[in-house]
Amino acid sequence: MKRTVDEITGGRRMRRNRRFEWNRRLVRENRLSTDDLIWPVFLCEGKGISEPLGTMPGIERHSVDKIGVQAKRAQELGIPAIAIFANVAMEKRNQTGSEVISPDNIIIQATKAIKDAAPDVGIITDVALDLFTDHGHDGILRDGIIVNDETVETLCKAAVLQADAGADIVSASEMMDGRMGAIRDALNDAGHVDIGTLAYTAKYASGYYGPYREAVGTDGLLKGDKRTYFMDPANSDEALYEAQLDIAEGSDMIMVKPGMPYLDIIYRLKTEFGMPTFAYQVSGEYSMIMAGVEKGFVEEQRVIMESLTCFKRAGADAVLTYFAPRVAEWLNNS
Ligand code: PBG
């Protein structure tokens, strides 16, 4: 017996709400706004430099004297916050990453420059050592092992230094155990009770970081991989355990990284903990989209907006994305 469609669906027709844009707008569940954007920027040593990155079409590295202009741009576009990374001069890198606690390092200088130029833009710094070690690892390397507790000591000092310089949120992307609580204590002891901490809670040992490693000059340095401290891409329950610890240790926000291949993790963390949950659309995701755009396989604005809206749908409150200024422009003009 052949039934009509109305007999099959009981008269329910999902397509009614999709007929017109006004109707689609009324039933739209998630919306991307400029408020959701965090812009990661790359610094380089020297003066008067803005150099394009080979592995990330459309992205540049800026010297400290030029970062103020970018910060002002963020402020004008309404981007809430900037996250800072840098390609540190090779001669300043060593086994222990000690430059991270040198009071005038490039991250400290950039923090001050951004605060000066655009006081309304939030600054998110990172305490990981990878920018400062000559082996490219995120922690101190001794006898082939990334030593946890000694690394945490350094992270705490870096956190205080960054907060002193004007960082608003100190993030920790190196996945050492106990670092969020230790950093919280160190900030409090230094009088920085109001400075927030962002935990890279579920940071995976991912291949999607490739272009970033060129951007910060760690691509040729890294010996081995980061699997003894970053999470296994195959794991999901473990992310809940990590989140539970980071939250108990006092983190103000949690993050999932990379982004798009890990939307299920964002969803699980947001659902389970209801914490401010960020996603990091990492360099490899950026470059893959751009490669597709350059080849004409996908439409630039459409796939970028779609990718970011999907983060919102999964439960992310904000997204670190290299597309931030482009997206802010589109959103502001629409
Ligand atoms: C390490 C760090 C990484 C990124 C930011 N900080 C990953 C790594 O090199 O292991 C990646 C960011 C990106 O790919 O966009 N602390």
Side-chain angles (χ1 to χ4, degrees), residues 128 130 138 173 203 209 212-213 226 230 257 282-283 322:
D130 61 314
D138 289 26
S173 71
K203 176 160 180 183
Y209 308 143
Y212 162 92
R213 302 235 173 113
K226 303 192 177 185
F230 292 173
K257 177 182 178 184
V282 300
S283 58
Y322 301 98

Side-chain angles (χ1 to χ4, degrees), residues 40 42 56 85 126-131 136-138 172-175 200 203-213 216 218 222 226 229-230 257-258 280-286 320 322:
F42 293 115
M56 298 179 75
F85 298 99
D126 195 295
V127 292
L129 305 187
D130 61 314
L131 307 176
H137 280 291
D138 289 26
S173 71
E174 36 31 67
M175 296 294 276
Y200 281 66
K203 176 160 180 183
Y204 286 87
S206 170
Y208 287 91
Y209 308 143
Y212 162 92
R213 302 235 173 113
V216 300
T218 56
L222 194 63
K226 303 192 177 185
Y229 44 105
F230 292 173
K257 177 182 178 184
Y280 198 144
Q281 183 177 52
V282 300
S283 58
E285 298 174 69
Y286 174 90
L320 279 92
Y322 301 98

Side-chain angles (χ1 to χ4, degrees), residues 13 30 33 55 57 65 71 97 102-103 114 120 138 157 166 174 227 247 311 318 332:
R13 288 185 178 254
N30 294 286
S33 107
T55 54
D65 59 317
S102 125
I114 293 169
D120 295 338
D138 289 26
K157 291 181 193 151
E174 36 31 67
R227 287 175 221 258
I247 295 164
F311 284 112
N332 296 345

